[in-house]
C-alpha cells in the first residue's frame, strides 16, 4: 500500500511539474506577443503622427451641430 501511495504521489508531482512548465511557457509566450503588439501600436501611432503633420485632415463639424441643422430645415 505504501508503494502505491508513493507512486501516486510521484505521478501527481510529475504532472504538476509538467503543468507548471506549460503555464510558465505560455505566460512567456503571451508576454512576448504583448510586447510585439505594443510595438505595433507605437509604430502605428508614430506613423499616424507623421501623416498628421504632413497632411492635416480637414476638421468636420461635430455630429450634434449637423443634426441640429437637419432638424431646423425639416
Amino acid at each position: 500500500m505504501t508503494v502505491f501511495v508513493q507512486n501516486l504521489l510521484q505521478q501527481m508531482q510529475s504532472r504538476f511539474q509538467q503543468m507548471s512548465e506549460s503555464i510558465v511557457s505560455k505566460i512567456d509566450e503571451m508576454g512576448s506577443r504583448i510586447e510585439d503588439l505594443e510595438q505595433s501600436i507605437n509604430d502605428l501611432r508614430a506613423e499616424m503622427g507623421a501623416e498628421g503633420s504632413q497632411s492635416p485632415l480637414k476638421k468636420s463639424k461635430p455630429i450634434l451641430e449637423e443634426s441640429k441643422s437637419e432638424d431646423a430645415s425639416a
Side-chain angles (χ1 to χ4, degrees), residues 25-43:
S25 173
K26 288 182 181 188
I27 288 173
D28 289 343
E29 181 184 342
M30 288 178 66
S32 175
R33 293 174 73 182
I34 288 171
E35 289 173 0
D36 291 345
L37 182 59
E38 287 176 336
Q39 185 60 48
S40 294
I41 290 170
N42 288 334
D43 291 346

Side-chain angles (χ1 to χ4, degrees), residues 5 18 20 24 42 49 53 55 72:
V5 172
Q18 289 173 349
S20 296
V24 169
N42 288 334
S53 64
S55 59

Side-chain angles (χ1 to χ4, degrees), residues 6-7 29 33-34 39-40 48-50 56 58 60 63 67:
Q6 286 177 341
N7 286 337
E29 181 184 342
R33 293 174 73 182
I34 288 171
Q39 185 60 48
S40 294
M48 288 177 64
K58 186 175 84 173
S60 61
I63 294 173
S67 65

Side-chain angles (χ1 to χ4, degrees), residues 10-27:
Q10 284 178 334
Q11 288 176 358
M12 289 174 61
Q13 184 177 7
S14 174
R15 289 180 184 166
F16 181 78
Q17 183 65 34
Q18 289 173 349
M19 286 188 345
S20 296
E21 291 171 359
S22 175
I23 290 170
V24 169
S25 173
K26 288 182 181 188
I27 288 173

Side-chain angles (χ1 to χ4, degrees), residues 61-73:
K61 294 191 294 185
I63 294 173
L64 278 177
E65 289 181 18
E66 290 177 6
S67 65
K68 285 180 184 177
S69 64
E70 289 175 6
D71 289 343
S73 64

